[in-house]
Amino acid sequence: MKQPCLLFHGFTGGPYEVEPLARHLRERGQLCEVPILPWNGECRHQLHASRWEDWVQAAEWHAAKMTETYGSFDMVGFSMGGLLAAYLSVRYPVRRLILLNTAVIYVSPGRLLNVLREEWKYQRKISLIKGKSTPLVATWQFTRLVRHLKPELSLVNKPTLIAQAERDQVIHPQSARYIYSKIRGQRELHWHAKSDHLICLSEDAPALFRQVSTFLDKE
């Protein structure tokens, strides 16, 4: 019987960021939970009012619920959700950990500028609109969360798959190398040359999903 899986979306994002992977896992018989987390992009009042500690507490609530209901479980984290997934893997019975474009080194200004130019060129202004709509206080709390949870990576000792998009305009690819160097135990690193930040919605998504399936099927 396959392990249930908990999937976390990223900062100011939503379940849509990881839902394609969850759908793939469900099709192979794996139960998946994809909660809407308090750092999502729909509730500005939540972003204004919450602190990084509140986000950690919310993440722990979902992990505790999975533990109580299923015992051990697999864990997927995207972007900021990846950092929280790594944190949870140290404290809860996570069997296998999957980190997608995980936020450790956040924003390469040159890369971000390039993607904004492209979005203006094609009248796709998603990143610019999102940046303007994110409260500054929430961005500050995000940076504090990264600073506090980054040292937790050296405590991770679960089998871990790290996937990084080479064209990521939000998370610098060096993040993946840093994570790989810090965590302990069995780990593997996969690069995706055709993907941007939303890796589960990218051209490389089918290859990523195959890698995840193979990784989760290991004993």
Side-chain angles (χ1 to χ4, degrees), residues 42-156:
E42 297 299 317
C43 302
R44 283 177 58 84
H45 67 279
Q46 276 190 319
L47 286 175
H48 270 292
S50 61
R51 296 168 56 86
W52 70 270
E53 295 95 335
D54 300 324
W55 300 341
V56 173
Q57 185 176 14
E60 292 217 54
W61 186 89
H62 287 286
K65 184 180 176 184
M66 291 290 287
T67 302
E68 180 182 352
T69 306
Y70 305 110
S72 65
F73 57 96
D74 294 327
M75 180 91 227
V76 175
F78 168 72
S79 195
M80 190 184 89
L83 203 53
L84 283 156
Y87 171 86
L88 295 175
S89 75
V90 176
R91 293 161 176 79
Y92 293 87
V94 172
R95 184 186 70 106
R96 287 184 171 267
L97 177 65
I98 297 163
L99 304 177
L100 308 177
N101 290 350
T102 293
V104 173
I105 305 171
Y106 186 69
V107 180
S108 167
R111 296 168 76 89
L112 183 59
L113 187 60
N114 285 337
V115 79
L116 289 177
R117 285 197 191 105
E118 289 299 309
E119 287 176 355
W120 274 105
K121 181 179 177 181
Y122 295 105
Q123 297 185 339
R124 292 164 44 235
K125 303 171 187 175
I126 298 167
S127 293
L128 187 62
I129 292 167
K130 185 174 178 180
K132 284 184 175 179
S133 66
T134 303
L136 185 61
V137 65
T139 304
W140 168 242
Q141 292 299 320
F142 170 86
T143 61
R144 293 188 67 197
L145 182 138
V146 173
R147 187 166 68 249
H148 281 85
L149 297 195
K150 189 175 175 181
E152 295 283 329
L153 290 167
S154 63
L155 303 177
V156 175

Side-chain angles (χ1 to χ4, degrees), residues 13-44:
Y16 69 90
E17 294 174 318
V18 292
E19 188 58 44
L21 175 56
R23 186 163 55 248
H24 168 81
L25 296 177
R26 290 183 186 117
E27 288 173 354
R28 47 178 246 124
Q30 193 163 8
L31 184 146
C32 292
E33 298 283 349
V34 190
I36 300 175
L37 298 158
W39 55 85
N40 72 82
E42 297 299 317
C43 302
R44 283 177 58 84

